[in-house]
Amino acid sequence: MTGAQMSSPAPALDDILVASKVTMRFGGLVANKDVDFAIPRRGIVSLIGPNGAGKTTFFNQLTGMLEPTSGDIAFNGSSLVGLTPHEIVELGVARTFQNIRLFGDMTTLENVMVGRHVRMHAHWWNSVLRTPHTRIEETATRDRARELLDIVGLPHRYEEEWARNLPYGDQRRLEIARALASDPKLLLLDEPTAGMNPAETGRTTELISQLREQLGLSILLIEHDMKVVMGVSERITVLDYGEKIAEGDPEEIRANPRVIEAYLGKQATSA
Amino acid sequence: MTRRFASRAVWVGVVAGLAVWHMSLVGLVDSFQNRPILTDILSLGETLPLAGIVIAGAWAARPLLAGGLGRPTPAQALMAGAIAGAATGAMLAVLSFFILVLKPNGMLIHATPKLVNDLRFFQDAALGTLVQVGGGLLLGTAAASLNLVQRVARRALVWGVLLVLLFGIMNTFVTQILRNLPLKWLSTFLYRGDGLTIPGAVLLFAVTAALVAGWMLRGTQVRAGYAALPNASRQTTKIAAFILLAALILILPQILGVFLSDVITNVGLFVLLGLGLNIVVGFAGLLDLGYVAFYALGIYSIAVLTSPASPAFHPQLNFWLAVPIVMVIGGVTGIIIGAPVLRLRGDYLAIVTLGFGEIARIIFLSDWMTPYVGGAQGIQQIPAPTINLLGLALEFRKPQDIYYPILVACILAALAAWSFQRSRVGRAWTAMREDETVAEATGVNTTVYKLMAFSMGATFGAVAGAFYAAKIGVVFPQNLDILISINALALIILGGMGSITGVIVGAFMLVGLPGLLREFAEYQLLIFGAVLVAMMLFRPEGLIPNRSRRAELHEEEGESGPEGADGGGGPGEQPPGDRQPHPMEKPASGLALEAVAVSTRLGDRS
Amino acid sequence: MRMVRRLLGIHEHLSFVDLVLALLRVAVVIFAVVGIWATIQRGSFTLGDWGTFILAGLSLGSVYALLALGYTLVYGILFMINFAHGDVFMTGAFTAYFAANAMAKSGFLAQNELLSFIIVLLVSSGVAALVAVVLERVAYRPLRNAPRLVPLITAIGASLFLENTFRGLYGAGVKAYPTWTMFQGSIRLGDVEISYSRIVVVAGAVAMMLGLWWFVEHTRTGRAMRAVSENKDVAAMMGIDVDRVILTTFAIGGLLAGAAGILYTLLFNQVNYFMGFVPGIKAFTAAVLGGIGNIVGAMLGGLMLGILEAVGPYLLLDGFGIPSVNQLKDVVAFLVLVLVLIFRPSGILGRKENT
């Protein structure tokens, strides 16, 4: 069954992100083929698939780090294709990374404050002159950063600690806090529970739901941990070899024979 | 075990010997002869081979491995020192014979009998060789014994010797300062002729050693005492110290006299250059080797704008009016130059900017541009900046006068850099420097911020150029070459990339020292080269590092460094990871003789 | 329309940088076309003149090619720019000076010129190789895993150190090099006079390049070098001693640089401590022009750069009536550097960069 025969739910009016026939070609290699994808507003959606299925490539196109060879991606009605990553952040999309990429030379608090960059207005002239307005903004940003640390559950004593010194699980949270700092409407999480033990995984799953409740976010996850996926997603989309092979709620996906084949039938790529 | 120490000692001695060969043949020994330290007894020239022997001896007696493993017994240490010292001495003897027998001084210009005389410590062949090898043996042993002594004593000794050397070298300047103070009696006590007197040297040594020992033993208590003071009195002490420092800085030119003021103003210019380059390299992480182009731009812009002798057009503006214009020109040029090179990767960026710098220099120098910028003759008659205040016309041309405008410029520049660092802009730059892709994905418009960095850096450079032109009064293109860029880069690296205090320290060391000592000026670039390599190998974060980089280095140094092993003692270094390095903290033993080779990651950046 | 976009280098949506780059491209092309046309109109130079320029370019270009090989070999393996390579070249030239002078003084040179020349060649290449190897061992190896800027700065420091060491050793002035009588004289080809020394330079360089090519393609070490430059880690896993290969690479680069030093002195008969700086940068330009990491590219790039530099100022700039155009030779070379790095960093034959 090819993607073309897949019946995708028609994009509803309250979808925050709509990707249509997104295709990504690297020379001869097709990483994504005609992927149709929609994220409902305030929804939690997961994107799964065996390694190499093209999930991160898809993510990278959503965030502007890659430009799709063809197809369109619309966020809140306006197209994201061709925009630079920072412009996309300004529109309200934020992400975390598969292997943690924090700014090691900065403290925890500073990492979050950088995340808030697009919502601040200090430019070079008011920065040099340290105008009252700028200083107020700095304080406000600092306060907001502290709030975000609370939200993700990082203790205050970490604030001035170098980001690279944090324990692994906390580093992942910090990445999420940094992403949240830009007041996004859509949050993209790339394998947020990779390398975590069950307790931490549970906490992270809870955090994801909380984020939707508290902040009204729409969330897209890439995940390999099926418990997380099944537990928190409202809808799951499955990619294999760059194409969408299934889509539906956790029950449907769990029972879908194609999905099972995609995972079990490929020995070398178990999650 | 003993054999390993012995063989390593031989190796160390030979390497030290090669270093002394290098210094001798390059001419350092000869030219430093003119710099006496102890009048009629010791000059800087002899200190070089002696230093080689001492370092060889001390190094040979160190543990075999990092981390304190393979510690030598006292006997082994002394033996190692002896062997290393003797080996170095033997190398001296070998070189002496080579020179006399092969007579290469037709081509190797410093391989002269005079050099041999120096190396033999002014003795004849037989006695000289004995002194070289035997003296090496003894001195090496003595140096090795340092390793066996208490840490406090060792430090005190080393600093004492260093300070005696320093005062000896700085003879002319110390005497001048003392005379201006006026403390003439002190200067006659310390110095006679061109170097220190023996009582003077002893006094300096004793005082320094006592101070160092005192600080090491009582330092933590003093700090604790200070920290325990109520807030109000701490504030007052801080304010008092600040006022004192400010007063000193203001009257400095009067104390220093003309020549030294000139040197200080040069230092000031390079502080400006360094701060500007620091923004580009240290904050934003873009290596710009063509930085001199902006300096040149500033110099020529001021010249054209203010001098009546400017060939093509001569608006003859007031200096103070011209400076903001020059700043704008600099800023805009920074953007123009920056735009095409934004997409380039680190080392390619460096080479391209180097190319730009060279192109600029050649064009300024060429016949083609002579009608506009005066070609090789340059532009002359640049007027000195003046202020008309209450009927008084203050002209700033003499070194002691132009000091003040330059000082003001430096202060403003430092404040600006400091403000940037802790603002949204500074954070954006740091993020960009660390990980450009992620910074972009976090919302930083890397294009704009790279241009901003280039632009700011260019502005600072142009201002420095403007003041230089004002100070000298004429401009020639001959001096505007890559060596200025390298000088600025070197002082940033020495001081610490991204660190404002570091730039100042670096400027004093790399511009001040050569300015003071002609011998240093002649070998300036040789020393720069060695400094750059050494810094990258041993201390890439600089002498006064940016806070986080130093923290990272100390994580790795851990307990195995000279600080950690003996616990307390020094300016309180606690084990890393528990606490935050305070930004005002003094850095670890960057200047001490005992260099520690630690791994040199600046971060896991691929 | 797509073609036009690609030519101007514009992506789907224009950014400021794209605009600037596009304008720059257009400006360069217009400048070149106008310049060349104007020069041809002016006709200040005869065919013989152009021939002389091209020949000069070829011989100097051969020297650049030899140097470029050193850069490209090192870059191919370590992805670092060996800034000090130009000074290794200088070391070779100075050693040649030392050896040749010593032999001239003792009279040996006059009696057995060919033998002397060979000795000089061997000694200088050897010393240059030694310097390159020491450089790698002491300054570069400890920094192999440091971020890219660190080895670059180290290389700059090493370059300064070498330059000024030789300044201290031999003095700051220009030193005259003894002349080899066997290379005096020239032959005539139409309007153009070709000196024997030029022929020797080109022939020598070509011979060495062929030798290198053969070495890299057909020997075990050469294969190992190629393997390491493809993928250091995998090569190590295959049992190749990566450190040794890197040392060999530096040694070969040094050998070539040393030889280039001697050839250079055949062309210019003088040495000076600063002689390596500009040729070093130009050789790097040549390496990038041809495609860095690519051996044939380095050779081609060197020759091309030599010709561009010799012909360029006259061809491009004379038309604009710029006086003393030969002063601007270096500008042309640096412009090539800048333009290649900005617009086509992979060079003519280069493989796509995998950072």
Side-chain angles (χ1 to χ4, degrees), chain B residues 34-36 166-180 187 191 193-196 255-256 259-260 516-519:
Chain B
N34 302 328
R35 194 53 76 163
L166 192 68
F167 271 77
I169 298 175
M170 301 290 196
N171 168 20
T172 14
F173 313 115
V174 176
T175 30
Q176 189 158 28
I177 294 179
L178 288 179
R179 263 181 223 146
N180 288 347
S187 91
Y191 295 100
D194 274 332
L196 289 168
I255 307 179
L256 291 181
F259 179 70
L260 287 179
L516 292 178
L517 305 172
R518 199 165 312 121
E519 299 84 21

Side-chain angles (χ1 to χ4, degrees), chain C residues 41-64:
Chain C
Q41 292 291 82
R42 262 182 127 203
S44 329
F45 305 107
T46 69
L47 212 54
D49 286 332
W50 292 116
T52 318
F53 295 153
I54 293 182
L55 268 169
L58 264 179
S59 43
L60 195 51
S62 316
V63 175
Y64 292 156

Side-chain angles (χ1 to χ4, degrees), chain B residues 565-581:
Chain B
D566 305 14
E573 292 288 339
Q574 295 172 21
D578 285 347
R579 53 144 200 129
Q580 300 315 303

Side-chain angles (χ1 to χ4, degrees), chain B residues 493-581:
Chain B
I493 289 181
L494 181 64
M497 276 193 274
S499 149
I500 296 176
T501 342
V503 168
I504 299 177
V505 167
F508 269 98
M509 290 182 71
L510 290 186
V511 178
L513 273 180
L516 292 178
L517 305 172
R518 199 165 312 121
E519 299 84 21
F520 274 95
E522 207 184 306
Y523 292 98
Q524 187 176 11
L525 294 173
L526 184 64
I527 297 177
F528 275 12
V531 162
L532 281 177
V533 176
M535 291 303 288
M536 286 294 110
L537 285 176
F538 299 118
R539 202 172 160 103
E541 79 280 13
L543 287 178
I544 311 221
N546 202 356
R547 15 165 240 156
S548 65
R549 287 196 176 133
R550 187 171 136 265
E552 183 182 354
L553 189 74
H554 278 279
E555 273 165 40
E556 298 166 24
E557 206 180 299
E559 263 75 59
S560 62
E563 301 286 1
D566 305 14
E573 292 288 339
Q574 295 172 21
D578 285 347
R579 53 144 200 129
Q580 300 315 303

Side-chain angles (χ1 to χ4, degrees), chain A residues 3 6-9 17 19 32 34-40 44-50 53-55 58 219-223 226 229-230 233-240 242-250 252-254 256 259 263:
Chain A
M6 193 69 251
S7 60
S8 33
L17 181 113
N32 289 131
D34 286 335
V35 176
D36 290 315
F37 186 76
I39 304 178
I44 301 183
V45 174
S46 290
L47 186 61
I48 68 175
K55 308 186 292 291
F58 187 69
I219 301 182
L220 170 62
L221 287 186
I222 293 182
E223 250 309 334
M226 283 308 146
V229 172
M230 298 300 170
S233 328
E234 291 158 350
R235 202 181 73 212
I236 303 176
T237 306
V238 189
L239 290 186
D240 191 21
E243 293 180 47
K244 187 163 77 170
I245 60 170
E247 193 167 66
D249 62 43
E252 295 171 6
I253 295 300
R254 211 197 304 260
N256 187 312
V259 174
Y263 272 99

Side-chain angles (χ1 to χ4, degrees), chain A residues 3 18-19 21 33 59 90 119 122 140 142 178 194 197 201 212 245 257 259-260 264 267:
Chain A
V18 178
K21 296 209 160 318
K33 183 151 184 249
F59 243 44
E90 253 177 288
R119 304 293 168 216
R142 196 171 282 264
R178 182 178 69 183
N197 63 42
T201 307
R212 193 260 299 271
I245 60 170
V259 174
I260 300 176
L264 295 183
Q267 297 294 351

Side-chain angles (χ1 to χ4, degrees), chain A residues 65 85-86 89 101 103-105 110 113-115 117-118 120 122 124 127-128 130 138 160-162 165 178, chain B residues 419-420 422-424 427-428 431 433-435 437-438 440-445 449 456 547-548 551 555 580:
Chain A
M65 288 163 79
H86 77 264
V89 173
R101 293 171 82 166
F103 300 120
D105 249 1
E110 283 171 342
M113 286 171 76
V114 169
H117 185 89
V118 290
M120 294 176 72
W124 63 268
S127 295
V128 173
R130 310 199 84 209
E138 274 287 299
E160 296 300 323
E161 185 71 53
W162 303 112
N165 286 345
R178 182 178 69 183
Chain B
S419 301
F420 273 130
R422 49 207 321 113
S423 72
R424 170 179 182 248
R427 277 194 298 271
R433 178 183 78 223
E434 287 249 10
D435 195 334
T437 341
V438 175
E440 178 85 29
T442 311
V444 174
N445 186 339
Y449 281 86
M456 288 295 139
R547 15 165 240 156
S548 65
E555 273 165 40
Q580 300 315 303

